[in-house]
Amino acid sequence: MTVALEHRRPWPWALVPVLAAAATSLWIGLNFDVRYAFGGLRVAPEGVYGAFIHRPLAYRVFVALLDLPTRLFTDRTGTFAEAVVRAEVLVLVAAVTALVWFGLHRREVRGAGFIALALGIALALAPNWTFLEPDWTGALWATAAFGAALLPSRFAAPLAGLFAVLCVATKLSTLPYAVIAIVAACLVVKGWSAVGWSAGFGGLWVLVTWLFLPTEWQWTQDMAGLFPYSLPRAGLDLDWRTFGESAANLLVVSPIVLALPAAAVRRPVPAAGRPVPAGPDGPVPAGAVWRPVLVLAGVVLIAAGALVQGEGYLYQWAALPVFAAGVVAATRSVAALVPAAVGGLASAFVLYHPAAWRSEHFAAITVVFLVIAALGVFANRLRVPRNWVPWAAIAMTLAFGAANLPHAAYSVNMAHAAETNTSLFGKTADLRTRFLQARTEIGPETPVLYLTFGDVDYLLGNPTDCRYASPVWLQRSTFLPYVRELDSYRDNVGCVENTRASWLVLDHGWLDPAKLEPAVRTRLTATFDCTAPLTVTDTIELCPRR
């Protein structure tokens, strides 16, 4: 059996993660943040250029393009429609994977096929809370920039520059992703023209948006105020505790990260176990000396992108599992597969347990996963199989698949720790039924004013005359008073005060109207009658216009 696995037709084993990604996409659907983006663009009056969905323009355009096929469906929020969106994204991931393979193959990089496949696995099997978030999308475009820069064409560097700028334009905090991708590609091709093209296209993007889309820059500047512990707002007084907990959560939810230490310090061992022959650089090649430094630099850059956002959400680490998968594949480290596989099994065990158990044992869980990472370092003298693709494909499927299991929690002890893939699937099915009833009762084209999180816009689907389809500025003003000083807040207030909506959609669990600015609260009370509302859930109600 071992002989067959190592020597005969290794690539069919690569279908294991491909089938896992396809099976996951058939049922798991889109997460609430992604629905926020789709819903906001569907119901807001000004489309991608004028609708505020808490996301930059490049991401809004990307979502709008992905949403085009769902126009063919009667139910645009159903499981089938969401599976179609995920299928579109998986096709795009496959295209980027092929681009990376072609570039590496033409540059005669050893193991080009599996390096490309590993990056594709990391993107396709990302946890559902990460999949299709702006940070994940930035990692996708950064991977495309890496592949494009390797092409044997005079258009390689300009194309890589375009993808790099697309990465940053998707979300500014993904700038480190673009830097890592372009620098890594330049090291492979031994040329730095892609850096110049990236800088040039980046400057052009800044100039064009500054001149023609001033509101975009207003939103970009003001959004820093929505996060009290973000770098622009807090300076160096960052929330280091939340950052540390977030990093520890990532080890469990994306255990491929545990393989990084082993891959970084791997010393070449021949397949037959013979000593490494000496060369001009001595018994240990220069690359093996610099590898830990380069890997550490990549980790620090990605961590910085998560830290400056000041929220601690796990999707803000989206690039680190992709980076880890690429490093493991590039180094062909068998030792790294040990923590990847063991970590995947341990992750499935931990994420299956109730939130209370995970919170109570969080410190012990963190120590155990750090020990698993250390196992890989001590296993570094393992011999490399003649063809390690089957083993690597299985290990990576275990590492990435754990978070996609039906009963896997979204986090260990942080935001949405009590939610699992199955529980959110069930809640969404129930909410679809409830909002369909509400939509039927008030009329599908009746204009409404949303004072809700954006996934309510997605599920109800009624149009609004307010560009702030989910009024995050009003919501944050209820507990961050300084938000009321921002231009975007005043714009949001004006939108609410001048609405012609026939119904108010209010989620008391997301926004407490009693804490709104008195003038705004008075205007809402005078416009809508919430004494006998149409109830959708325990916290969401629809109030008719007076």
Side-chain angles (χ1 to χ4, degrees), residues 52-293:
F52 178 82
I53 60 166
H54 210 153
R55 299 292 185 255
L57 176 61
Y59 184 76
R60 300 200 300 272
V61 172
F62 180 57
V63 166
L65 292 175
L66 291 175
D67 203 24
L68 290 177
T70 68
R71 295 176 182 268
L72 302 174
F73 308 141
T74 302
D75 180 9
R76 299 179 71 187
T77 67
T79 302
F80 180 76
E82 293 189 352
V84 168
V85 171
R86 288 187 67 108
E88 291 179 79
V89 178
L90 290 181
V91 170
L92 189 56
V93 169
V96 171
T97 301
L99 177 65
V100 173
W101 169 80
F102 183 72
L104 290 172
H105 178 69
R106 292 303 296 268
R107 297 288 174 179
E108 299 183 348
V109 175
R110 184 189 181 197
F114 195 76
I115 295 172
L117 180 64
L119 296 173
I121 293 172
L123 291 165
L125 280 175
N128 200 38
W129 192 15
T130 299
F131 190 86
L132 206 47
E133 290 278 1
D135 306 73
W136 179 93
T137 307
L140 175 70
W141 298 137
T143 306
F146 172 73
L150 302 176
L151 295 176
S153 167
R154 64 178 181 273
F155 299 110
L159 185 59
L162 284 174
F163 279 127
V165 171
L166 191 56
C167 168
V168 180
T170 296
K171 191 174 182 180
L172 291 180
S173 58
T174 60
L175 172 62
Y177 305 179
V179 171
I180 293 170
I182 293 298
V183 170
C186 289
L187 290 175
V188 174
V189 303
K190 297 179 173 60
W192 297 88
S193 58
V195 174
W197 282 100
S198 300
F201 282 133
L204 182 62
W205 166 71
V206 170
L207 179 62
V208 170
T209 54
W210 182 270
L211 291 176
F212 300 105
L213 296 169
T215 303
E216 197 71 22
W217 282 99
Q218 174 192 306
W219 287 340
T220 300
Q221 181 178 357
D222 288 353
M223 274 196 288
L226 297 176
F227 314 113
Y229 292 106
S230 65
L231 181 64
R233 183 72 196 178
L236 296 179
D237 188 21
L238 300 170
D239 188 351
W240 292 96
R241 178 185 177 87
T242 298
F243 172 74
E245 287 190 1
S246 178
N249 272 250
L250 182 74
L251 299 180
V252 180
V253 176
S254 297
I256 188 65
V257 176
L258 301 174
L260 270 174
V265 302
R266 174 182 177 265
R267 298 170 68 118
V269 179
R274 293 188 298 270
V276 179
D281 295 320
V284 180
V289 175
W290 283 103
R291 189 188 308 123
V293 177

Side-chain angles (χ1 to χ4, degrees), residues 16-17 20-21 24 27-28 121-122 124-128 252-256 340-341 343-345 347-348 351 393-409 421:
V16 173
T24 298
W27 73 274
I28 202 169
I121 293 172
L125 280 175
N128 200 38
V252 180
V253 176
S254 297
I256 188 65
L345 295 173
S347 173
L351 296 179
I394 293 171
M396 287 196 179
T397 303
L398 290 172
F400 285 106
N404 288 286
L405 292 173
H407 293 287
N421 293 321

